[in-house]
Amino acid sequence: SSVNAKTRNIWVYKSIDPITMMSSSLSSSSLSIAMVRCRRQRPHRSPSVGVRASLENAPIEFKKYQGLGNDFILIDNRDRATMKLSAKRASELCDRNFGIGADGVIFAMPPAQSGEDYAMRMYNSDGTEPEMCGNGIRCLARFVSDCDGLPPKAYKVGTLAGLIQPELRADGQVAVDMGEPIFEPSQVPTTIPATRDGKVVRGEVPVDGETWLVTAVSMGNPHCVTFGRFNECDEGGLNLDTFPLSTFGPKLESHAAFPRKCNVEFTEVKSRNYVKMNVWERGAGATLACGTGACATVVAGVLEGRIDRKCTVELPGGPLEIEWRESDNRVIMTGPAEYVFSGAVNPRC
C-alpha cells in the first residue's frame, strides 16, 4: 500500500505480545506498529558496488523499551565503534507520526575504557546527543540483559557523563548508582553566580519580567530545578495541575544563563518524602519522565531544605524512588524498564 516516504523502511516483528505477528493491513494511523516496505526500484549496479550498498543498507534490528512512559529505540551496537544510525535518521525514527515514535535512540556500544561492560551513546528526538539519560540507562540495562539472556545483575556502563552502574533486581526494578551531583557553576554549566558554598541554590533567573528561583545541578547533564517564582515558591509553591509547562519550559531550557541549554524540573512539594515533578527535557521537550531530572530534583529539594534525602518523585508517567546518600554523596535511582516491541529499520531513509 502507498505510504508517506518518511515512514518507509520500518519492519516491526513483535508487539507487546511477542507471539503475535503484526499484520500489514493495519490502518495508516497504526504505521508505527505495521510492516512497512519501500518499493522503489533501484538502478542496476556492478556486483561489487551492489554488495557494498546492500551491506550499508541492511536492516538494523531494534527493540523499543519504556521507563514510566519515557520511551526509547534500543540498538545493539557492540559489534562496531561507530553508531549505526545518523543523528538525522534517529530523529526521523523518533517522529510519532512518521516514524516509530520515541524520546530518543540509544546504542549499546563497545566498552571505551577498561572496567566497563559496555558503553552508552544516544540521540535525543531532535538529533542532539546528550551526555546520558537516567530513564534511558535503565532501559539500556534491561535491553542488554534481554539480548544476552542473562539473569538480573549489575553492569558498569561508560557514558559521556562518566561511569554509571545500573543493577537489575529480581523484582523487575532497575536501581542505578547515578554518581555524585555536580554543583560548580562552570561545570553544570551555568553563568548564574554561586549563592551558597560554591553552589547555585535559589539563584535568580529573570523570565518575561518575573524572577524564577532555581537550583542548578548537573547529574552528568545540566538541570535547572525550580519550586516557583520569587515569593511563590515559599507561599504554597507551584500547582502542577494547572501549570503551563509548554510556556515556561522552553524559556528556561534555552535561557542565556545555561550556555549548553538545560533540562528544567518544575516541582511541587507534597511532603518531606513525596514531590510531584513535571519536566521539560533539553532536546526533547515535555516527556512523561526523566531519571536524571528526578535525581536533580531531590538534590535541589534537600539543598533548599524542602525534602528528605530519600524521596518519591511522582512524574506524569509514574513514580521513581530517589535517595541522595549522606554517607558517600551518591544518588541512587530506582524504577522500572519495560519491553514494548521489536523490529528492524533501514539505516537510511
Side-chain angles (χ1 to χ4, degrees):
S1 61
S2 175
V3 298
N4 186 293
K6 289 186 179 180
T7 64
R8 65 182 176 238
N9 299 332
I10 302 173
W11 297 265
V12 171
Y13 300 149
K14 303 172 185 176
S15 67
I16 295 174
D17 176 3
I19 304 301
T20 304
M21 298 301 293
M22 304 308 299
S23 167
S24 60
S25 64
L26 293 175
S27 67
S28 60
S29 64
S30 301
L31 284 174
S32 66
I33 54 171
M35 183 178 291
V36 183
R37 292 184 180 276
C38 175
R39 299 173 186 244
R40 293 178 297 173
Q41 294 296 321
R42 292 185 172 85
H44 175 74
R45 297 175 180 173
S46 65
S48 59
V49 174
V51 169
R52 184 165 59 252
S54 177
L55 291 173
E56 290 176 352
N57 291 288
I60 294 172
E61 294 187 353
F62 73 88
K63 291 184 180 180
K64 185 173 177 179
Y65 284 73
Q66 61 87 14
L68 300 180
N70 201 190
D71 55 343
F72 305 94
I73 299 163
L74 279 295
I75 293 174
D76 191 348
N77 210 121
R78 290 175 292 175
D79 59 340
R80 67 176 74 172
T82 57
M83 290 183 282
K84 294 179 180 180
L85 296 177
S86 67
K88 179 176 181 292
R89 183 61 171 145
S91 182
E92 291 171 347
L93 294 174
C94 287
D95 191 289
R96 297 190 183 278
N97 296 110
F98 298 114
I100 297 167
D103 291 321
V105 179
I106 299 175
F107 304 84
M109 305 293 295
Q113 306 288 338
S114 66
E116 296 176 357
D117 293 305
Y118 53 89
M120 171 186 183
R121 298 282 296 278
M122 74 172 289
Y123 291 122
N124 288 320
S125 58
D126 68 352
T128 57
E129 184 176 4
E131 296 84 353
M132 63 90 62
C133 171
N135 281 322
I137 201 165
R138 292 202 319 277
C139 291
L140 176 62
R142 175 71 63 192
F143 166 70
V144 170
S145 177
D146 290 347
C147 287
D148 296 346
L150 297 175
K153 60 171 292 187
Y155 293 101
K156 294 182 178 180
V157 183
T159 75
L160 297 182
L163 186 69
I164 305 294
Q165 301 181 64
E167 179 178 4
L168 279 73
R169 301 193 324 198
D171 64 359
Q173 297 285 94
V174 183
V176 185
D177 182 344
M178 300 290 288
E180 299 184 46
I182 298 168
F183 303 110
E184 168 61 40
S186 64
Q187 294 183 41
V188 171
T190 179
T191 60
I192 306 171
T195 59
R196 184 198 304 169
D197 301 326
K199 306 176 182 68
V200 177
V201 180
R202 293 169 62 97
E204 297 184 0
V205 176
V207 176
D208 294 344
E210 298 180 301
T211 299
W212 287 80
L213 297 184
V214 309
T215 293
V217 181
S218 172
M219 294 301 308
N221 53 356
H223 291 272
C224 167
V225 182
T226 181
F227 298 88
R229 285 154 282 208
F230 189 76
N231 291 330
E232 174 186 48
C233 61
D234 297 320
E235 298 177 0
L238 295 172
N239 180 353
L240 294 186
D241 290 336
T242 58
F243 181 73
L245 177 64
S246 61
T247 298
F248 292 103
K251 292 178 180 180
L252 283 169
E253 175 202 8
S254 58
H255 197 280
F258 293 90
R260 290 169 57 189
K261 297 189 176 182
C262 64
N263 303 282
V264 190
E265 289 76 34
F266 298 93
T267 309
E268 179 180 356
V269 177
K270 293 297 190 179
S271 72
R272 296 286 306 180
N273 56 14
Y274 178 75
V275 301
K276 292 177 66 176
M277 185 267 278
N278 286 353
V279 62
W280 186 271
E281 289 198 55
R282 179 183 61 164
T287 62
L288 294 178
C290 176
T292 56
C295 294
T297 294
V298 171
V299 170
V302 171
L303 291 176
E304 294 195 25
R306 300 178 185 276
I307 60 175
D308 297 333
R309 284 178 172 265
K310 194 170 185 177
C311 185
T312 298
V313 179
E314 186 77 34
L315 297 124
L320 285 173
E321 301 300 325
I322 308 296
E323 180 180 8
W324 183 20
R325 295 193 304 221
E326 192 168 10
S327 59
D328 59 6
N329 198 40
R330 304 182 78 83
V331 181
I332 309 301
M333 170 190 63
T334 304
E338 299 176 352
Y339 167 79
V340 183
F341 63 83
S342 59
V345 297
N346 192 309
R348 304 179 184 216
C349 55

